[in-house]
């Protein structure tokens, strides 16, 4: 059982091309380069700014297990990353920077922090598992040099593509401008069940 409330440090780094960027260091219940979970029970409360329950720098694979994660952390201030994208670091229950593969497991998430996520990943392969998510977080406004963008609170957020062959996903979102699924490129659904209810209001004008 984990209870996290530490803050996130926005660390400045320089790459081989002498580009100066920010690499956030956030509190996390379980963190590794690659993670495989076959069984076990994880009960986590993550309250720190941009804190995560379980985070993989590369791939996270879940074959089974019981996950009960509550996330209330706020996002960081906007920053520029190594890819020269401007954004914020936000809290998440499960996070994989590259690929998230779920073959089984029982998941119950509660997310109330602005721009928070249930699942956050580069790409998603969902082959099984049962998800029950309650979200109420608002979006975070990201200030670019000449316009504003939004980082949304979402049940599932993929920077790339998502492929779903099985599994049960129930998402209830009551936050402002909430999103059940937010997939940046392609979504392919070949099976499974999705029950998504989004009842929040729209944002203010920006």
């Amino acid at each position: 059982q984990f209870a996290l409330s530490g803050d996130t440090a926005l660390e400045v780094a320089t790459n081989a091309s002498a580009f100066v960027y920010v690499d956030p260091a956030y509190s996390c219940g379980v963190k590794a380069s690659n993670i495989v979970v076959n069984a076990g029970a994880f009960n986590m409360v993550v309250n720190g700014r941009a804190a995560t329950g379980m985070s993989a720098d590369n791939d996270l694979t879940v074959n089974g297990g019981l996950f009960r994660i509550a996330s209330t952390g706020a996002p960081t201030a906007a920053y520029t990353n190594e890819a020269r994208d401007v954004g914020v670091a936000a809290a998440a229950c499960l996070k994989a920077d590259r690929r998230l593969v779920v073959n089984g497991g029982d998941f119950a998430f509660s997310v109330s922090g602005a721009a928070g996520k249930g699942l956050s990943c580069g790409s998603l392969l969902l082959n099984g598992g049962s998800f029950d998510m309650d979200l109420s977080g608002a979006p975070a406004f990201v200030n670019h040099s000449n316009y504003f963008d939004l980082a949304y609170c979402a049940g599932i957020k993929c920077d790339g593509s998502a492929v779903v062959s099985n599994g049960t996903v129930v998402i209830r979102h009551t936050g402002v401008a909430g999103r059940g699924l937010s997939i940046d490129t392609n979504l392919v659904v070949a099976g499974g069940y999705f029950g998504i209810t989004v009842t929040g209001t729209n944002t203010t004008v920006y």
Side-chain angles (χ1 to χ4, degrees), residues 172-199:
R172 295 171 294 274
H173 204 317
T174 60
V176 173
R179 292 187 172 184
L181 306 182
S182 182
I183 313 299
D184 286 0
T185 57
N186 300 315
L187 172 63
V188 178
V189 179
Y193 170 81
F194 289 88
I196 301 174
T197 304
V198 179
T199 58

Side-chain angles (χ1 to χ4, degrees), residues 124-192:
L124 173 66
L125 183 59
L126 182 59
N127 299 318
S130 176
F131 292 86
D132 188 274
M133 306 187 198
D134 280 298
L135 302 102
S136 59
F141 286 83
V142 181
N143 189 358
H144 297 259
S145 59
N146 57 353
Y147 68 96
F148 280 96
D149 196 4
L150 292 177
Y152 295 92
C153 177
I156 298 175
K157 170 66 168 72
C158 288
D159 297 332
S161 62
V163 178
V164 180
S165 63
N166 206 344
T168 299
V169 178
V170 176
I171 299 172
R172 295 171 294 274
H173 204 317
T174 60
V176 173
R179 292 187 172 184
L181 306 182
S182 182
I183 313 299
D184 286 0
T185 57
N186 300 315
L187 172 63
V188 178
V189 179

Side-chain angles (χ1 to χ4, degrees), residues 101-123:
V101 180
V102 180
N103 297 314
D106 188 289
F107 306 83
F109 298 154
S110 173
V111 180
S112 59
K117 312 291 190 292
L119 302 178
S120 177
C121 55
S123 65

